[in-house]
Amino acid sequence: MKEIGIGFAGAGWMGTVLLQRLLGQSGVRIRALHQRSAERAHATLLDLGLDPGIYQPRYEELLATPGVDAVVLCTPNSSHGPQSIAALEAGKHVFCEKPCATRYRDFLRQIELAESQPHLITFVDYLMNFDSLENRILDMVRDGLFGTISQIQVNYRHPINIAGEKRWKLDRHIIGDAIGMGIIHSLSVMLNIMAAHQARPVRVFAASSTIQSRGFEVPPLYSIQILFDSGATGFCFGNIDHANGYDAYHHIHGVGGGLVFDSYLDRPSKVRYWSKAHAEGRWIYPLDLDRCAREQTEAFAWPADTTTPDSGDVLEHQTGACIDHFLGCIRQNRQSHLSFPAAASTAETGWAALWSAATGAPVDLPLDRDKALAFFDQLDAVPG
């Protein structure tokens, strides 16, 4: 198999972790690194044992570097759209950190380019989709353990780091919005679970709040309600400012069962579920192996190494699985389930929430693209 040449943009905290994951792969070579700070770039390259000569001060030079097959974008949010578009126009595969874009016009252009070049692999890094708990929930939903789902809640409440050089995350023109900064993870998880239930979002109603403790130039808190075509309702509390730790609370309620995942509880009580199809509808604590043994529910216990999405430390995230997936898609010439087009529903739900919060009215999905373009172009033009 041909070696995959990587052009990497953005060697910050998260970027350095992704670089390390790439260096652990066989058949991969880092061909170029672009970073705003030349000093930071050289230090990172030396720390990782890479040639400082691969540093490219301009992103355009990274794209023009011989041997670059794929681009990995871990730059500030506002760069994701323009840089991914430029990479696709240059014929490169694209791994893009969330959000995929901070301007609606760029979001549409990404999809257009990806659909017109199906040989190019694209991927939006909604990394919670690679957590083993999330995949187990998907299997449970597909197997009908909860029956018809009527309500679902997935939170994202985590005070993101704005210390030192990360203070750019306060700037609305760079961060884009709080939904894209992190809340989008919970929407992605919720939509994946409901897609496994053969349900799609059809309406969004959202409210935002500026009751905050730090100087974000965008509302850092959102309450988002989603109506699905099945009649189910989804809800998300989103908060990137003040929170006591990392909250990815899940609650699924169906006519035949339910599941609760409480981020703030430690094992073995962190997860519990019930199902009419299991143990006569009793609550099962699948991470409490001793309790499962006592209550004769061992068949429903989960492996001790089951991961749960409850940490803001990227070293504990499923970054390795994300990189494996992206490279595997390139090698097998198959599109990712998180490509720009395939993941568009998640991003579009986020855009709808922004629109709803700004107008105080519900927004129907799929979006009317002409009306959305007019609205978001006007929103982007508002100073401050």
Side-chain angles (χ1 to χ4, degrees):
M1 178 65 69
K2 175 181 175 291
E3 180 181 77
I4 300 174
I6 302 292
F8 198 98
W13 181 46
M14 181 67 169
T16 300
V17 173
L18 290 175
L19 268 172
Q20 291 171 335
R21 302 292 186 260
L22 284 164
L23 290 172
Q25 295 277 341
S26 60
V28 172
R29 178 179 296 186
I30 309 299
R31 295 282 187 176
L33 172 68
H34 168 69
Q35 168 74 19
R36 289 178 299 168
S37 167
E39 181 180 358
R40 173 67 177 268
H42 283 94
T44 299
L45 289 168
L46 288 171
D47 286 345
L48 297 177
L50 294 169
D51 179 7
I54 68 173
Y55 171 66
Q56 297 291 355
R58 297 176 63 247
Y59 180 68
E60 294 77 10
E61 294 169 344
L62 176 148
L63 294 179
T65 300
V68 168
D69 304 299
V71 173
V72 176
L73 299 175
C74 200
T75 49
N77 294 5
S78 58
S79 298
H80 294 176
Q83 288 180 340
S84 62
I85 289 170
L88 288 170
E89 290 176 339
K92 312 298 182 185
H93 307 295
V94 179
F95 177 114
C96 184
E97 271 301 316
K98 57 78 190 161
C100 59
T102 59
R103 291 182 179 272
Y104 184 72
R105 189 172 293 274
D106 286 345
F107 163 66
L108 295 182
R109 180 61 175 158
Q110 288 171 327
I111 297 172
E112 178 186 19
L113 285 168
E115 289 180 338
S116 67
Q117 302 179 95
H119 63 287
L120 295 180
I121 304 304
T122 60
F123 173 81
V124 186
D125 192 17
Y126 297 132
L127 51 77
M128 281 176 65
N129 290 275
F130 293 86
D131 189 275
S132 61
L133 168 71
E134 302 300 342
N135 287 306
R136 187 171 293 276
I137 290 174
L138 291 179
D139 288 339
M140 295 169 78
V141 170
R142 293 187 187 105
D143 291 342
L145 266 64
F146 308 126
T148 300
I149 294 174
S150 55
Q151 295 172 314
I152 179 170
Q153 179 176 343
V154 184
N155 292 342
Y156 182 96
R157 293 188 287 197
H158 171 48
I160 64 172
N161 188 353
I162 59 168
E165 64 181 23
K166 299 179 179 65
R167 290 188 66 80
W168 64 264
K169 296 176 182 178
L170 296 172
D171 187 328
R172 78 177 284 265
H173 295 291
I174 302 178
I175 188 177
D177 59 80
I179 293 176
M181 194 66 224
I183 299 169
I184 198 74
H185 282 310
S186 61
L187 299 182
S188 176
V189 164
M190 186 188 301
L191 296 188
N192 276 353
I193 292 171
M194 294 307 291
H197 193 55
Q198 302 298 311
R200 63 181 182 88
V202 292
R203 179 169 293 178
V204 177
F205 182 69
S208 62
S209 173
T210 54
I211 300 174
Q212 61 197 79
S213 60
R214 299 182 292 175
F216 288 96
E217 294 181 3
V218 297
L221 284 76
Y222 277 82
S223 299
I224 305 170
Q225 185 182 51
I226 302 171
L227 177 66
F228 292 89
D229 60 1
S230 63
T233 302
F235 194 79
C236 168
F237 280 119
N239 181 352
I240 63 168
D241 184 26
H242 50 83
N244 184 21
Y246 186 100
D247 179 11
Y249 173 84
H250 292 46
H251 180 199
I252 300 171
H253 185 76
V255 299
L259 177 143
V260 177
F261 165 63
D262 193 329
S263 313
Y264 297 140
L265 291 181
D266 294 325
R267 291 175 184 245
S269 301
K270 185 182 292 291
V271 181
R272 58 189 169 97
Y273 77 91
W274 70 277
S275 171
K276 291 180 179 178
H278 278 178
E280 299 176 340
R282 289 180 292 164
W283 281 104
I284 295 170
Y285 292 78
L287 296 177
D288 189 339
L289 304 186
D290 291 338
R291 183 168 181 167
C292 286
R294 291 196 307 272
E295 298 180 356
Q296 298 182 334
T297 56
E298 299 101 318
F300 314 121
W302 296 351
D305 61 354
T306 299
T307 59
T308 52
D310 52 5
S311 171
D313 185 350
V314 298
L315 294 177
E316 298 180 23
H317 291 179
Q318 302 300 311
T319 50
C322 298
I323 290 294
D324 287 346
H325 173 77
F326 177 63
L327 296 175
C329 288
I330 293 175
R331 290 177 174 129
Q332 297 167 28
N333 191 29
R334 60 177 173 85
Q335 283 297 337
S336 169
H337 65 288
L338 293 174
S339 68
F340 287 142
S345 177
T346 294
E348 190 173 55
T349 303
W351 292 113
L354 291 173
W355 193 349
S356 176
T359 61
V363 174
D364 290 337
L365 294 172
L367 294 177
D368 181 311
R369 292 189 172 183
D370 290 336
K371 291 181 180 179
L373 270 173
F375 175 79
F376 287 110
D377 280 352
Q378 180 185 34
L379 195 67
D380 289 337
V382 176

